[in-house]
């Protein structure tokens, strides 16, 4: 998306997991305090990557420094777009709770997310423009089978799986409802889950030489694999090439990462991110013209929350 809309610069406050995590997967959630409150009594708090609150605090410090140095001109600020994408790790963890506890944690997480969006908007007086991709179903990730429903997993009865599917729906409905009432700027919501599911369905239809009523399967699939990951543990098989071993994980990765929907067991691949970014940029341009990307302030600064379902064509 950065390339598609020709950004002058791109600041990223997200953090990646360390190359050799000594503990189980510990990705960033909206609010680490909410997660730690769900742990059993006496359980040691988990160490997470920077949550959204921490990342927003880092951004505020960064902005104060940038303002002092006058690096970013006012008209550039008017063309700034924020992208905030949380939910994957939240749902991954909360799906292990009972249904009521998980629902409360998701509701609190959505409230916390919008509290941080308020902070961003309060420090962006020209009207914040924010992209919020919806939650994806984590049960389609290669890591779900490895860690949960697979032979070595912890969810052989699929209780977590059913819980995760329900929480994805709850998260996305709550996100849409809160965004529709938000009055601090403009929010654009992208249905990332439907996009990912369409990629999986289309690949399956192509294998079965079928076409559905929406035309999926007619144009083929861009992916060689929509189930396995390009990089990570156990990837020594077909179409794999040895890496340099510096990753600290499996020294093997696929030789054609652009043909894999998933980069590793928990993340979409580079081509998938590119396709989502291009789709978001094209949809915003279609619905808003150039006002979202322009450096000039549009005449109307009224709030809005757009939701875009990905095209199946």
């Amino acid at each position: 998306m950065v390339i598609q809309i020709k950004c002058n610069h791109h600041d990223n406050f997200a953090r990646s997991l360390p190359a050799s995590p000594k503990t189980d997967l510990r990705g960033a959630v909206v609010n680490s305090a909410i997660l730690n409150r769900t742990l059993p009594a006496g359980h040691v708090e988990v160490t997470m990557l920077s949550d959204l609150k921490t990342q927003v605090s880092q951004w505020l410090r960064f902005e104060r420094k940038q303002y002092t140095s006058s690096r970013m001109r006012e008209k550039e600020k008017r063309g700034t777009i924020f992208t905030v994408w949380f939910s994957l790790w939240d749902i991954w963890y909360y799906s292990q709770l009972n249904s009521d506890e998980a629902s409360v944690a998701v509701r609190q997480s959505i409230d916390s997310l919008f509290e941080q969006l308020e902070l961003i908007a309060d420090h962006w007086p020209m009207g914040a423009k924010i992209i919020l991709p919806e939650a994806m179903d984590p049960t389609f990730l290669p890591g779900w089978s490895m860690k949960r429903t697979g032979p070595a997993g912890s969810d052989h009865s699929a209780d977590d799986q059913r819980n995760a599917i329900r929480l994805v729906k709850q998260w996305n409905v709550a996100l849409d409802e809160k965004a529709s009432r938000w009055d601090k700027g403009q929010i654009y919501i992208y249905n990332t889950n439907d996009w990912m599911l369409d990629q999986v369905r289309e690949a399956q239809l192509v294998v079965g030489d079928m076409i559905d009523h929406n035309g999926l399967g007619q144009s083929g699939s861009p992916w060689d694999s929509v189930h396995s990951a390009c990089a990570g543990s156990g990837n020594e098989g077909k179409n794999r090439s040895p890496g340099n071993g510096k990753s600290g994980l499996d020294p093997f990765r696929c030789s054609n990462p652009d043909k894999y929907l998933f980069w590793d067991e928990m993340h979409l691949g580079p081509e998938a991110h590119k396709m989502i970014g291009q789709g978001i940029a094209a949809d915003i341009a279609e619905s808003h013209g150039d006002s979202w990307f322009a450096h000039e302030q549009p005449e109307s600064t009224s709030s809005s929350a757009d939701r875009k379902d990905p095209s199946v064509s």
Side-chain angles (χ1 to χ4, degrees), residues 46 57 79 99 157 176 209 220 245 250 261 303 313:
V46 296
S57 296
S99 179
S157 62
D176 288 356
D209 196 23
D250 195 317
L261 179 60
S303 65
S313 60

Side-chain angles (χ1 to χ4, degrees), residues 4-265:
Q4 186 81 2
I5 65 177
K6 299 179 174 62
C7 290
N8 293 332
H9 55 262
H10 170 221
D11 298 318
N12 183 13
F13 292 88
R15 297 294 179 266
S16 299
L17 284 167
S20 300
K22 296 181 180 179
T23 58
D24 196 7
L25 300 169
R26 293 288 184 260
V29 296
V30 168
N31 191 320
S32 296
I34 295 173
L35 174 65
N36 281 311
R37 286 200 296 268
T38 68
L39 298 176
H43 196 287
V44 178
E45 291 191 355
V46 296
T47 302
M48 315 293 299
L49 292 177
S50 297
D51 61 10
L52 179 58
K53 181 178 181 179
T54 302
Q55 292 183 31
V56 170
S57 296
Q58 293 169 345
W59 170 76
L60 289 173
R61 291 194 298 271
F62 175 81
E63 280 302 309
R64 283 192 287 268
K65 181 179 179 181
Q66 296 302 91
Y67 181 80
T68 301
S69 65
S70 299
R71 171 174 171 256
M72 184 182 291
R73 296 173 296 174
E74 288 300 313
K75 74 172 187 176
E76 290 179 320
K77 286 190 174 184
R78 287 194 289 269
T80 296
I81 297 173
F82 298 88
T83 301
V84 180
W85 194 1
F86 279 78
S87 64
L88 172 62
W89 291 104
D90 305 78
I91 293 172
W92 177 272
Y93 297 126
Y94 299 143
S95 62
Q96 300 173 89
L97 305 175
N98 67 51
S99 179
D100 290 340
E101 290 175 336
S103 292
V104 170
V106 165
R107 185 169 63 250
Q108 291 175 342
S109 296
I110 292 291
D111 289 342
S112 181
L113 187 153
F114 275 85
E115 288 172 3
Q116 297 309 309
L117 298 188
E118 294 275 339
L119 277 177
I120 293 174
D122 288 344
H123 288 79
W124 211 255
M126 56 285 300
K129 293 176 286 190
I130 300 174
I131 295 171
L132 294 177
E134 289 188 336
M136 297 189 307
D137 185 346
T139 68
F140 281 83
L141 300 175
W144 190 272
S145 175
M146 294 175 61
K147 298 287 183 178
R148 298 291 183 86
T149 53
S154 59
D155 186 33
H156 293 175
S157 62
D159 291 335
D160 292 358
Q161 183 172 3
R162 288 186 288 271
N163 208 16
I165 294 169
R166 182 184 60 82
L167 293 178
V168 168
K169 182 177 181 180
Q170 180 189 345
W171 185 286
N172 291 338
V173 168
L175 193 74
D176 288 356
E177 291 178 349
K178 294 275 283 189
S180 68
R181 299 193 301 268
W182 201 64
D183 60 0
K184 294 285 189 175
Q186 301 179 75
I187 290 179
Y188 172 88
I189 293 178
Y190 187 76
N191 192 333
T192 331
N193 194 48
D194 277 3
W195 180 89
M196 180 190 70
L197 296 182
D198 279 348
Q199 306 308 306
V200 175
R201 291 191 192 103
E202 187 168 51
Q204 293 171 340
L205 288 168
V206 169
V207 170
D209 196 23
M210 295 183 291
I211 301 173
D212 76 355
H213 65 282
N214 289 319
L216 279 178
Q218 186 172 15
S219 301
S221 170
W223 315 109
D224 287 349
S225 175
V226 295
H227 300 294
S228 59
C230 172
S233 301
N235 290 342
E236 301 89 348
K238 186 179 180 181
N239 294 326
R240 307 282 173 176
S241 60
N244 55 22
K246 294 180 180 180
S247 68
L249 297 172
D250 195 317
F252 288 81
R253 47 157 280 186
C254 66
S255 58
N256 50 345
D258 288 349
K259 288 293 186 178
Y260 278 71
L261 179 60
F262 299 105
W263 167 247
D264 60 18
E265 53 226 30

